[in-house]
Structure formats: structure tokens, C-alpha cells
Amino acid sequence: MRDLVVGRKRLVIERNNFGSLEKWELLRDRASDAQILSILTGPMEKNGWYNMNFPETDALLLFFTSTEYFLPPFLKSMKNMKFLMISNCGNNKATMKGLSVLSSLTQLKSVWLEGLISPLGGKQSIEVLESIEKLSLSLCIGFNGGKQSIEVLENIEKLSLSLYIGFKNIPTFTRLQDLILDRNNNLEELPLGICNIPSILSLSITNCHQLQNLPYDFGNMSNLRMLRLSTLPCLKQIPASIGKLEQLEYLDISLCEGLKELPKEIGQLKKLRELDVRECSHLITLPWNVCELSSPKLVTCDETIGKQWLQAKNTSIADLRVEIVEAQFSLDWLDD
């Protein structure tokens, strides 16, 4: 039985009041061949983890239900790990401890964090992020002492500007290509430093219902190819600097009810191939220079604005396909 568990390439182990400790015991002080490892627990302290060894693991998924969670010390043995997911499945956000083990993950490329409070605090956790290419933060911004906390994103800002207080020679996000911010409901402003990450190719900000403004320097992300700004009902405007995103191919601003107009600079997006503006009910007119767009192939929108896109198609964008869709009203976000 022990050899069967140790030799599995995909392994799920569980430790809580309802799960068996059998696999947990079998892996104690034994190297595992698992390439994909999922661990489900309740609250965990440092001394609650067994000494387990996973030298072959490429992907680790940690699921837990607790307000405090100590990262497993055996992360130090996972030298080949490229993907790390830490997901709090409880109703309340959680704080992480034992962040120093992250400094051992030199091959880490992708990080997914969910339901955590300020998960990127501390020198060790910041340094390991130098090599990551994809970062996803979901439900990761909470309240600290009544003040809305955006420490997660402030760390990104301080990294990109090398201004993290208390440390010198802080590494920058030179490899980050994909940043996802989802359901961070206390986020009202996007830190300016995100606009100074030169390597970013894809930025997705979704279901952040308090986000009102984007930095004026939004257009500094000169290599950005995909931009999703979806379900941001309080977003008031798109900065004019979006016209500087010369490499942008895909733009999604669907379900942004607060938008009343698009900046005329959108006509400068010469490589834009797909645009989604569905369910922006207050957006009733297009800037005159959308006719200067030369490469869009698909626009998805509502009927009101669709007539103007069809006119633009007939005037100057012959290859454009206009897909008019009906509004799909949903209150599912209230459950988040």
C-alpha cells in the first residue's frame, strides 16, 4: 500500500476532522514521485506538518478552511515546482505564516492566491516573485483596522519602483507576463506601479465592484496584448493613455455600467482585433475616430451601440463583424 501511494504521479492527501490520515502516515519521512499534488486541510500550524518529501512535484494545490494557515515546511524540498495554488475555501479570509519557505522555489512560474489577507508581505515572499510569469489574486484584499487594505498590490508597486521600505536592491517583476485580479471587492484604485511592469502581456481585472479609477499612466504597459476590464460597475472612465497600447489586440470592457464614453484615443489602437463592450448601458455614443481603426475583426456589443458600429463598418472597416447580443442581467456577484 505504501509503495502504491508513494509512486503515484497524481496524489491527493487530506487532513481534517473528516478525512483519513492513512496517506498522510504512509508518506511520512518518505520521498514521493507525485508530479501533481493536492493537499486538503483545516487549520495548520508548523508542527502539524509531517516531514514529507516531494522532489518531483511540478504543481502544488493547497486547499484549506481556516483564518490562519502555516505553509508546509517541506516546500523546501520541491525544487522543481512551477505552479503553486493556495486557496482558502472558508467564509473568512486567512493570513499565511511560514512565508520564508517560498524563497526555495526558484523554478516557480505561476502563482494563484485566493481568499487571503495581504499574502505578499515580507521579504522572502517578495523575492521569490522575481521569476514568476503569471500571478492571480482572487478575493485577496480585506479590511485592516477599518481601513481598506491594498497591501498586496502596494507590494507590486513598490517592487516595480524598487521603493520597498526597509530593503535595498529589491528585485523587480522583470518576467511577469500575466496578472489577474478577480473579486477583490475593496480595491478602489489600481496602484500606479502596475503600469510600470515592462514585461506584462496580459492584464485581467474583473468583478472588482469598488474600482473607480485607472492610473493616467495606464498606457505605459507598452507590450500589453490582452486587456480585460470586465464587471467593474463603478469604473467611470478609460484613461486617454490607452491609445499608447500599440500592441493591444484584445480589449474587454463588458459590464462596466459606469462608463459613459470611450476616449477618442481608442482610435489609435492599430492592432486591435477584438473588442467586447456588451452591457455598458450608459455607453450610447462612439468617438468619431473609431473609423480610424484598421484591424478590428469582431465587436461584441448591445443593440444601441451596435448600430453605430455597423455604420463604421459600412464607412471604413469593411472586414468588421459586429455581433449584437441581448443583455443578460445577473446578480450572481452578490454571492461573492
Side-chain angles (χ1 to χ4, degrees), residues 98-115:
L99 295 172
S100 60
V101 297
L102 295 178
S103 61
S104 302
L105 307 180
T106 57
Q107 299 301 312
L108 195 62
K109 302 300 181 186
S110 180
V111 177
W112 179 298
L113 304 174
E114 184 170 2

Side-chain angles (χ1 to χ4, degrees), residues 1-8 25-31:
M1 176 64 179
R2 183 170 187 174
D3 290 338
L4 288 176
V5 172
V6 169
R8 290 179 182 174
E25 294 283 357
L26 292 173
L27 290 165
R28 190 171 187 171
D29 299 317
R30 184 77 179 270

Side-chain angles (χ1 to χ4, degrees), residues 18-33:
F18 306 101
S20 171
L21 296 180
E22 183 178 9
K23 291 180 184 177
W24 201 274
E25 294 283 357
L26 292 173
L27 290 165
R28 190 171 187 171
D29 299 317
R30 184 77 179 270
S32 167
D33 294 334

